[in-house]
Amino acid sequence: MKTATRPDHRPSPSAPSGPPAPQVRNDRGVRGRLRGVRKWNIPAGVAALLWLVVVGLPLYVLVLATLRTNEAYYDKGALSLPGGLTLDNYRKVLEGDFFTYLLNTAIVTAATAAIVIVLSVGVGYTVVRTLSRTSQRVFQFFLLGLAIPAQAVIVPVYLLITEMQLYDSLLAIILPISAFCLPVCVLILAGTMRDIEEEMYESMALEGASQTRILLQLVVPLSRGGISTVGVYAALQAWNNFLFPLILTQSRDTKVLTLGLYDYVGQFRVDIPALLAAVVLSIVPIFVVYLFARRQLINGLMGAGGR
Amino acid sequence: MKHVATTSRVGRPGIAWAVPGVLFFALFAVGPMLLVVYLSFTTWDGLGSFPSVSGTDNWERLFDDPTMRQAVKLSIILTAASWLIQTPISLLLGVWSAGRQKNRAVLSAIFFLPLLASSVALALLWKSLLDPNFGLIAEIGPWIGIENGNVFADGTSAMAAVAFVASWQFIPFHTLLYQGGARQIPKSFYEAASLDGAGTVRQFFTITLPQLRNTVITSSVLMVVGALTFFDTVLILTEGGPGTDTTIVPYLMYETGFQAYDMGYASAIATTLVIVATAISLLMVRISGFTAMRSTREGM
Amino acid sequence: MRTAVQGPARGGRKGTRRHRAAALTATALAASLVLTACGSGGPGEESSDAALEVWVYQDASVTVQQAAVERFNEKSDIKAELVEVPGQNYQDKMRSAMGTPNAPDIFFNWGGGSIANFVEKDMLVDLTPELKKDTEFRDSFIPAILNEGKIDDKYYGIPMRGMQPVMLFYNKKVFKEAGVEPPKTWDDLLDLVDTFKKEGVTPFALAGTTPWTELMWVEYLLDRIGGAEVFDRIRGGDSSAWGDPAVLETARTIQDLVDRGAFGNKYQSVDYDSGAASTLLAKDKAAMFLMGSWEYSTQQSNNPDFAKSDLGWTTFPAMPDGKGDPRNVVGNPTNYWSVNSSLKGERREAAIEFLKTTAEEAYVKDMVENGEVPATTDAEEQLASHPAPDFALSAYDLALDAPSYTLSWDQALPAQQASPMLTNIQKLFNKQLDPEKFVDAMKALK
């Protein structure tokens, strides 16, 4: 059961960034299959509609609240009709340090993704291609950490980061988050890399290609799907992280968005609409990324499920 | 299997490629894990020099601390609850969205929005929505059986709120996983079943579910691991309250370590978390056969 | 960072292809690390001419400290830099930072238990000699308030914010509509609970998700029932004092109030930080609110019309047969500046010079204009320029005349006790603990 036998059902590794043609073919394949499947979609369809309400209603209330004055927010109910809307809340947030926080988050997210990709490609390559027992051990070593949440070791990480004089720097957040992303990412990449045919390595090696060339010209391009999954996974971990910034940073210059949002509670006090505007603004950047790179992002996330 | 048969020494890299990754992981992940075990035998208030071992006090205290017992119970309940809420919904949604291309483009943006926001953003949003006087819950509470909108009055409803908010955030992600999985199922399977006269429901249980086995495992594992990190949501939504009724283990650890500054005892709590998580990892590796050196696509 | 780059590079020189490749990976990693380090500015480096880092709790009052730093920097060679730390978890953040090389040089605190650990570890400068030397500086503060900054008979803190007694705020409009007066006795208070319940108004706003607001009730009730001595004993380290009958009586009174519906039927979900409780009072949904004096400025900035015409305040009533003096006050006497003992030589001198700005006329004036009630002896005449002179004067007199001024328990006790204590109090209000079990749980605090 190799790729060639049923190309329609699996996005090919190059699909995410490839030319539009294979995507069209892909879509048609899915749609073609649908005819046979549609019948049992009714309960799922109902669930989907319900879910739409469960997701949509709070989002509607959220956006509406951010467009109201503080006075109107407290006087009218959450569900009342809009009227007398204002953008003041957004102005209030953007006049503050919002962009500093956003920049910090971007740095942390990009750096974490970069570190994780570089390291896990190296490990994954060794695990898949080296036949020695040591590489098996390495793999098992990483797998043991699969379910361990970084949060569990915040106390020693605090001690470690303090001893390394990294307290209150972005590195204090980046390093431990990256480390804890590695197990899942190594697993994902090892899975992807195993699908590369033995013959391809052999032919490249026979041509006299160096290890570095094999890695960069064969393994990396053919693992692009896995690599983008790893990147998305690591980026989301970094983007979402809260405990590490909370404990390991304190100053304005190192504040990331999650911590900034939390601190807005203290800063805005009674001003819920402004706080919620900050919440909306924190979603906007990644939503823009989502709009532009929807397919990569979704495929990346789907890949995390393994197949 | 083929790989082993054609074992050749040609084009095999050395172990050196893994060294940076291993060292990094050892320093920033394994190191802290060992350190947390060490710290659990110390009394340290977070100030001053590196703490030295002071005995097993923390562990003795851990075993007869009612709050810890409650925290373990609550963590298990929260994990189970979020699995029970998230799995069926995301399975149904995932299978549904695997198909309908037209609506999906429009709806997916809304569907997946919670996934794009950070836990902190969502917890803050829900905190305002759950305000019994001025939030959404004040208006819709009576319709859904929460009369005063007083969600944080008792442990059960507060816990339900935490589980709900976490599910609200993570269902989109698991939906994606199932969507990806469902797309891989060859339609020929369904066609054959249809010819045999199998109905919708039977097809779901005889084809879709078994075919999604690996996805179910992965998704479940991620849910279990994720449940250990609901800390952010708890901190913002309930601060472990009412009383200690939503104080799950990670929150108890945070409170002990960084509010009461009992770092030694917090480390003992953390050590139990690490042990449980390692056990889960092992179990996961067993069930899924991750270590087996074979293509992830084989056996499909 | 230098070592990170050098390490793998050395490996690369060994020359085999394998090693070079690994080195490449490692160097790429190191490069990305260096890049991010640059982006973040890296860990702080403490040089002798770096500015003094001054940490302050960020809220509406911070403008006073901003102005003080500006004035200080005009004349001092060693500059001060104000770091505003957002309110939530200030205590935790300050505490985490104190364990690191990035600790602040001068920092805002509540005195008492909030700095006791630091004193124990010799991390703070003993200010006693300085206060002895400069008596004029010492005498500019109300002695009772200055003394609250003492630990083991040594001064570690200089008052730097206004006095914050806890007061009973009320909504005049709601009182007028119900045709009632603010409570003078405990029976009045109980009658008011019934009256407002009939009117469909929550008698007391209470933020049940934020247990330190519930603590205020416990503090005042214990003080009125058993006198200030009970908590003084607890604070002195005698945890058996929790067994005093007055504590049990306090706990029973709390649950009696809960049963009477004094706090309405959904106080458990009301939040303080998001302003829900304050808004209940301002929007005529609650009649009274027991809160620190800062509530006045909170209302003034968020509901100015209400603050101007309908916000009333009074003292906590006496209890029948209570031992405590009804003039006693609980709350935060003030906040203090403390100085990190890692400061040496002229930097330490500069830090002490900075502390002295708090007694300057300009500082006191800024505080008054900002709506605070200074803890200085000469403040009274200045209070006329307070935005709400009536309020300021009554808060000032309340604090000045109080035979005892008990520091908020969560600040007075060490963090190890404060955090579980707040949990117990929340359980008491939520009736998850009955009064007897509450007393047992408090006695067990260590």
Side-chain angles (χ1 to χ4, degrees), chain A residues 3 6 9-14 16 187-188 191-192 195 223-229 298-307, chain B residues 176-185 211-218 288 290 294-300:
Chain A
T3 320
R6 41 170 229 271
H9 306 303
R10 183 183 309 138
S12 69
S14 60
L187 180 68
I188 292 171
T192 318
D195 290 335
S223 321
R224 225 183 302 166
I227 291 175
S228 74
T229 299
I298 299 271
N299 284 338
L301 285 171
M302 275 185 192
R307 267 152 261 175
Chain B
L176 268 181
L177 294 187
Y178 284 113
Q179 186 185 348
R183 291 233 175 113
Q184 316 281 318
I185 304 172
Q211 286 290 313
L212 288 177
R213 178 177 169 271
N214 275 341
T215 316
V216 173
I217 293 172
T218 315
S288 56
F290 281 145
R294 60 179 167 86
S295 160
T296 40
R297 287 175 189 173
E298 272 170 37
M300 279 204 37

Side-chain angles (χ1 to χ4, degrees), chain A residues 1 3 6 9-11 30-34 37 39-41 44-45 47-48 51-52 54-55 58-59 61-62 73-74 77-79 115 119 122-123 125-127 129-132 134-136 138-149 151-160 164 175 178-180 182-183 187 191 194-195 197-198 202 205 211-212 215 239-240 242-243 246-247 258 261-262 265 272 276 279 282-283 286-287 290 294 298 301-302 304-305 307, chain B residues 2-3 6-8 10-15 17-18 20-22 24-25 27-30 32-33 35-36 39 44 46 50 92-93 95-96 98-99 101 104 107-121 124-126 128-129 134-136 139-140 164 168-169 171 173 176-177 179-180 182-185 187 190 200 203 208 214 218 225 228-229 231-232 235-236 253-254 258 263 267 270 273-274 277-278 280-282 284 290-291 293-297 300:
Chain A
M1 290 297 273
T3 320
R6 41 170 229 271
H9 306 303
R10 183 183 309 138
V30 172
R31 226 172 265 156
R33 191 187 62 204
L34 187 67
V37 177
K39 268 182 266 158
W40 46 266
N41 259 345
W51 188 244
L52 191 64
V54 172
V55 174
L59 291 178
V61 173
L62 167 68
Y73 173 78
Y74 282 114
L79 284 173
I115 291 176
L119 293 181
V123 177
Y125 182 45
T126 315
V127 164
R129 293 292 298 161
T130 309
L131 293 173
S132 73
T134 324
S135 80
Q136 283 293 298
V138 165
F139 194 39
Q140 279 156 1
F141 174 62
F142 277 102
L143 288 187
L144 274 187
L146 218 45
I148 298 178
Q151 277 85 344
V153 294
I154 183 65
V155 174
V157 164
Y158 168 70
L159 182 62
L160 185 72
M164 290 175 80
L175 298 177
S178 305
F180 278 88
L182 281 178
L187 180 68
R194 269 188 204 120
D195 290 335
E197 305 284 334
E198 180 66 28
E202 281 168 11
Q211 283 304 322
T212 316
L215 181 69
W239 169 265
N240 208 354
F242 172 59
L243 182 61
L246 178 69
I247 304 285
T258 46
L261 278 181
Y262 182 62
V265 178
I272 292 289
L276 292 179
V279 166
S282 80
I283 305 176
I286 196 167
F287 189 64
Y290 170 82
R294 189 176 131 238
I298 299 271
L301 285 171
M302 275 185 192
R307 267 152 261 175
Chain B
K2 190 169 55 177
H3 296 182
T6 57
T7 299
S8 102
V10 187
R12 299 258 169 217
I15 203 86
W17 291 94
V22 171
F24 190 83
F25 186 66
L27 180 59
F28 291 105
V30 181
M33 283 182 225
L35 198 53
V36 81
L39 288 175
W44 185 43
F50 197 85
L92 280 177
L93 287 177
V95 171
W96 175 79
Q101 290 293 328
R104 200 170 62 94
L107 294 183
S108 61
I110 301 171
F111 269 154
F112 298 130
L113 245 144
L115 173 63
L116 301 176
S118 58
S119 320
V120 173
L124 290 172
L125 164 64
W126 279 100
S128 76
L129 292 176
F134 308 106
L136 177 63
E139 307 206 8
I140 65 164
F164 173 80
W168 196 81
Q169 179 181 6
I171 281 179
F173 173 69
L176 268 181
L177 294 187
Q179 186 185 348
R183 291 233 175 113
Q184 316 281 318
I185 304 172
K187 87 179 162 186
Y190 293 104
T200 306
Q203 281 186 15
T208 314
N214 275 341
T218 315
V225 179
L228 296 176
T229 63
F231 160 83
D232 313 5
L235 174 69
I236 291 170
M253 181 200 70
Y254 168 77
F258 294 95
M263 301 275 191
S267 297
L273 257 182
V274 170
T278 313
I280 295 175
S281 305
L282 281 173
M284 219 163 112
F290 281 145
T291 38
M293 273 298 192
R294 60 179 167 86
S295 160
T296 40
R297 287 175 189 173
M300 279 204 37

Side-chain angles (χ1 to χ4, degrees), chain A residues 10-29:
Chain A
R10 183 183 309 138
S12 69
S14 60
S17 46
Q23 282 170 12
V24 170
R25 206 172 51 221
N26 216 353
D27 287 358
R28 203 179 293 141

Side-chain angles (χ1 to χ4, degrees), chain B residues 256-275:
Chain B
T256 313
F258 294 95
Q259 285 182 341
Y261 294 97
D262 197 343
M263 301 275 191
Y265 188 49
S267 297
I269 299 171
T271 303
T272 55
L273 257 182
V274 170
I275 292 171

Side-chain angles (χ1 to χ4, degrees), chain B residues 13-14 16-17 20 24 45-48 127 130-134 148-153 239 241-245 254-255 258-261, chain C residues 18 21-22 25-26 89 91-92 95-96 98-99 117-118 121 123 265-266 268-271 276 279-280 285 415-416 419 423 426-427 430 432:
Chain B
W17 291 94
F24 190 83
D45 63 3
L47 294 175
K127 188 160 189 176
L130 293 177
D131 184 305
N133 293 297
F134 308 106
N148 295 321
N150 196 357
V151 174
F152 301 110
E239 295 189 53
T244 48
D245 281 357
Y254 168 77
E255 206 180 45
F258 294 95
Q259 285 182 341
Y261 294 97
Chain C
R18 245 162 42 190
T25 319
N89 293 30
Q91 175 80 15
D92 306 344
R95 183 54 207 260
S96 297
M98 283 300 277
N117 282 130
F118 305 148
K121 294 247 156 60
M123 296 170 84
N265 55 11
K266 43 189 170 187
Q268 298 101 322
S269 303
V270 175
D271 189 49
T279 311
L280 285 176
K285 293 190 176 188
Q416 290 84 337
S419 166
T423 306
Q426 192 179 41
K427 284 183 176 171
N430 288 4
Q432 292 168 298

